[in-house]
Amino acid sequence: MTLDEIIKSRRDTRHFTQDEVPDQVIQKALQAGHYSPSVGLTDATKYYLIKSAEIKKAVKELFLDYDQKASNLTDDEGQKSQYKSLKLEAIEEAPLGLVICYDRSVLNNFTIGTVGSNEAIKFSAVCAAQNIWLSLTEQGYSMGWVSILNYYQFKKLLGLPENIEPLGYFCVGKPATNYDNQPMLQQLNWKQKQETPCVEEILFSFPVLVPESLRRTAPSHSSDSELSEALQQKIGNKTKPTGSLGLLESLAKQIGTVFHTLEPKITNPNIVVFAGDHGIASHGVSAYPQDVTRQMVNNFLEGGAAINVFCKQNNIGLTIVDAGVNYDFPTNANLVSAKIGKGTQSFLQSPAMSQTELDLCFAKGAAIINTIFERGCNCIGFGEMGIGNTSTASVLMSVLMELPIEDCVGKGTGVIGDKLIQKQNILKTALENYNGSDDLQSKLAYFGGFEIMQMTGGMLQAKENNMLILVDGFICSIAFLIAYKMNPSVKENAIFCHSSAEQGHQKILDYLNVQPLLQLDLRLGEGTGCAVAFPIIQSAVCFLNEMASFESAGISKK
């Protein structure tokens, strides 16, 4: 057969004979897979053979469970009936099972070709799968790809370690039919494949439009003096000594002022966690590998992180945003996809992002918060996740507050001793290497992070919507500091939930002249400080609205 004939006759096979697959056939096919392109020569593709009838049966049960869920995705009874009639696997019939995987642990070391996307290792494994398919076809055998599986359970069933990610289960054997020389789904009239590829030349690039409200520097607006006086009088008339509720009193006054009412109410509170990867992480500034960002986002989605626990405890809505994680999450994952890119570039020698990407961050962050606002939320908390983002935040702090980098860098994920000094030196070099313009936008693009800039855009939009803005720790405060530089009046709506254990955080709070609600030595991020502080914010609202006055309680004043 010619190469062209082999390519044309390759089929996703679902019908097999009972003939065994000789060892030399599968070994030749796997060697063909090994010859496929491998990003950075990582050898990240791994293979597992399955001949056990018991294991095949268990995999088949996983398939049947998800196959039922798949058929329920359509309300078209004709389509549902047609789907159920399709044979989509041959797990128990095929003489050999093959699991093709890729090893994510190779990303713990610098790998050429993965800076823009660590999904390149998955692409390598897909190339290997195609080579195996073509080799089997040339030898008179074939393969069928089964992907309708719960991959979490699939990995558990096979005992695969966390770092090993399967593409799916592949049925291998001698084909029992050629499907009339066409794809099986086409033969069964599920859908017709077009004769030629879809090709289009891109002739123009398009500018990113940013709402004007996020570009202007707005003056600070003084609050309505009559409302302020009325709130103060209401607080002063509660059955307590003057000032005895301390910070709760000023908090209640602030909330009433923001909402323009003597009886404020918090509705549908929500915390948004923005996640993104950072190119600077490749230089060893974190105690954890970059892939932990992806792992933690999955943890958020599965409900296992601290922010999940605290939001559930306090009845707070939680939104997870992929602002720029170096991973392609499934399209059916319960997260907001606002990906600008698969991580920023390293700002050690070049800009982290372009001006267009910065503008897109502001626009996407604003749109996310506006969507939540339109669902009836008037209190929004901000959280983040991103390996390397304390380094990004430290450099931004140094630039924005004109402080030495040594005064801004903290432990982050747990970098101490010589590693902390190394972190400081790397960031100091990055600052020294900067030779761009002196304006704020240029510096934000050069040193920024996708999730930090989306938070900034979100905070500015929250101010436009007159929402309460809950600020978490060090990194969120940097996002707020940028928002404050762009629109100082945003401070009127902000509640700073805690003072972080990161050494730079208290300096930011002092610079802004604000008092945090808590001091618990937190430095987790994720918006956890917002969630933990929320009951205190609710207490301020409750005492303002429900506590008796001296007159209503018949109690004499001082």
Side-chain angles (χ1 to χ4, degrees):
M1 299 171 71
T2 66
L3 176 60
D4 190 55
E5 290 172 328
I6 294 169
I7 292 172
K8 286 181 179 179
S9 59
R10 186 207 66 74
R11 294 283 170 264
D12 193 0
T13 303
R14 308 297 186 195
H15 299 81
F16 295 93
T17 69
Q18 295 299 307
D19 298 357
E20 293 295 319
V21 181
D23 288 343
Q24 62 268 27
V25 169
I26 189 63
Q27 290 305 320
K28 182 178 180 181
L30 293 178
Q31 188 64 46
H34 190 61
Y35 287 143
S36 69
S38 178
V39 63
L41 296 179
T42 53
D43 281 339
T45 306
K46 310 293 182 187
Y47 307 103
Y48 299 89
L49 298 177
I50 295 175
K51 299 179 181 179
S52 163
E54 181 181 354
I55 297 176
K56 289 180 183 178
K57 184 174 185 291
V59 174
K60 174 72 172 287
E61 289 172 356
L62 288 182
F63 165 83
L64 292 174
D65 177 54
Y66 255 44
D67 187 52
Q68 181 62 46
K69 292 179 181 178
S71 69
N72 291 335
L73 291 177
T74 177
D75 294 325
D76 184 324
E77 290 302 322
Q79 188 181 48
K80 182 177 292 189
S81 176
Q82 185 184 10
Y83 175 84
K84 289 182 177 180
S85 70
L86 297 174
K87 181 174 176 56
L88 298 177
E89 54 77 35
I91 297 170
E92 291 187 290
E93 297 95 323
L96 181 65
L98 171 65
V99 184
I100 303 175
C101 305
Y102 56 100
D103 182 358
R104 298 192 60 83
S105 69
V106 301
L107 295 168
N108 293 341
N109 300 309
F110 173 66
T111 301
I112 294 173
T114 61
V115 175
S117 168
N118 65 23
E119 292 302 279
I121 60 169
K122 179 195 289 187
F123 306 153
S124 293
V126 173
C127 288
Q130 183 73 336
N131 272 18
I132 293 168
W133 231 318
L134 295 174
S135 175
L136 288 170
T137 302
E138 187 271 337
Q139 298 180 78
Y141 291 80
S142 191
M143 189 161 74
W145 191 337
V146 182
S147 58
I148 305 174
L149 298 164
N150 180 317
Y151 276 67
Y152 177 79
Q153 293 179 342
F154 185 49
K155 285 179 63 174
K156 290 290 185 184
L157 173 66
L158 300 181
L160 301 179
E162 198 279 335
N163 56 290
I164 298 295
E165 299 284 355
L167 295 182
Y169 183 96
F170 294 81
C171 306
V172 181
K174 186 175 283 292
T177 175
N178 66 0
Y179 304 108
D180 292 334
N181 291 315
Q182 57 185 311
M184 184 197 76
L185 294 180
Q186 183 171 310
Q187 180 199 35
L188 299 176
N189 298 313
W190 175 261
K191 187 177 289 187
Q192 295 301 304
K193 188 173 184 179
Q194 59 188 39
E195 293 294 326
T196 58
C198 179
V199 181
E200 183 178 351
E201 182 180 0
I202 296 175
L203 300 174
F204 306 101
S205 61
F206 298 91
V208 178
L209 299 178
V210 181
E212 186 62 31
S213 62
L214 301 185
R215 285 195 174 280
R216 71 175 185 262
T217 300
S220 179
H221 303 289
S222 58
S223 58
D224 183 86
S225 59
E226 290 184 4
L227 175 64
S228 179
E229 185 177 329
L231 281 166
Q232 190 60 58
Q233 185 177 12
K234 183 178 181 180
I235 292 169
N237 281 334
K238 298 296 183 182
T239 50
K240 61 175 180 57
T242 302
S244 59
L245 280 179
L247 189 57
L248 289 181
E249 297 190 18
S250 59
L251 190 57
K253 184 177 180 180
Q254 178 190 7
I255 296 170
T257 302
V258 168
F259 293 153
H260 303 299
T261 178
L262 294 175
E263 297 180 347
K265 181 181 180 182
I266 293 175
T267 58
N268 299 326
N270 197 290
I271 291 175
V272 187
V273 180
F274 293 82
D277 276 310
H278 297 252
I280 194 66
S282 63
H283 301 288
V285 295
S286 174
Y288 290 86
Q290 187 186 75
D291 194 41
V292 170
T293 305
R294 186 270 312 177
Q295 294 170 5
M296 279 304 301
V297 171
N298 281 333
N299 195 22
F300 298 149
L301 298 177
E302 292 175 4
I307 188 60
N308 299 98
V309 172
F310 296 143
C311 281
K312 182 178 179 181
Q313 175 193 12
N314 296 313
N315 198 28
I316 303 169
L318 179 61
T319 303
I320 309 300
V321 176
D322 175 10
V325 181
N326 194 1
Y327 181 75
D328 286 322
F329 292 97
T331 55
N332 62 348
N334 187 26
L335 87 168
V336 176
S337 179
K339 192 188 292 290
I340 307 296
K342 292 184 175 178
T344 58
Q345 300 301 308
S346 170
F347 55 68
L348 186 59
Q349 301 288 350
S350 61
M353 67 183 81
S354 67
Q355 185 64 51
T356 298
E357 288 175 322
L358 176 64
D359 290 344
L360 194 56
C361 283
F362 290 151
K364 288 200 171 191
I368 290 164
I369 300 308
N370 206 46
T371 298
I372 295 171
F373 169 72
E374 290 172 351
R375 294 200 291 259
C377 170
N378 66 359
C379 177
I380 193 80
F382 289 83
E384 44 60 44
M385 175 62 213
I387 294 299
N389 64 6
T390 57
S391 294
T392 299
S394 298
V395 170
L396 289 169
M397 176 182 173
S398 177
V399 169
L400 294 167
M401 295 175 58
E402 299 181 348
L403 292 174
I405 190 65
E406 292 82 3
D407 292 347
C408 307
V409 177
K411 293 184 288 186
T413 52
V415 176
I416 57 175
D418 291 342
K419 290 284 287 183
L420 180 59
I421 295 172
Q422 177 189 346
K423 179 180 179 180
Q424 290 176 351
N425 290 338
I426 289 170
L427 300 183
K428 187 174 183 179
T429 300
L431 285 165
E432 291 170 350
N433 288 342
Y434 180 71
N435 58 4
S437 301
D438 197 43
D439 63 286
L440 177 62
Q441 296 285 322
S442 295
K443 292 178 179 178
L444 294 180
Y446 196 96
F447 294 113
F450 291 143
E451 83 281 26
I452 295 175
M453 298 308 154
Q454 285 196 19
M455 283 194 292
T456 296
M459 290 172 179
L460 290 168
Q461 185 63 48
K463 172 60 182 175
E464 286 288 312
N465 295 341
N466 207 39
M467 305 168 79
L468 275 182
I469 300 169
L470 309 188
V471 185
D472 190 30
F474 177 54
I475 295 152
C476 289
S477 293
I478 286 295
F480 181 86
L481 181 58
I482 298 167
Y484 175 76
K485 294 281 187 179
M486 298 172 71
N487 180 357
S489 69
V490 73
K491 184 176 165 184
E492 298 167 359
N493 293 56
I495 297 172
F496 294 83
C497 294
H498 72 110
S499 178
S500 167
E502 281 291 303
Q503 70 144 345
H505 192 212
Q506 188 59 50
K507 294 184 177 71
I508 300 172
L509 299 177
D510 292 342
Y511 178 85
L512 292 167
N513 192 27
V514 294
Q515 184 175 356
L517 297 183
L518 299 170
Q519 169 52 271
L520 299 175
D521 285 339
L522 303 177
R523 57 180 181 87
L524 176 58
E526 303 177 7
T528 48
C530 301
V532 170
F534 185 71
I536 296 174
I537 298 168
Q538 285 282 45
S539 294
V541 173
C542 286
F543 102 77
L544 181 63
N545 291 334
E546 300 175 22
M547 188 176 176
S549 66
F550 283 107
E551 289 81 2
S552 67
I555 297 175
S556 299
K557 289 186 178 181
K558 180 179 177 182

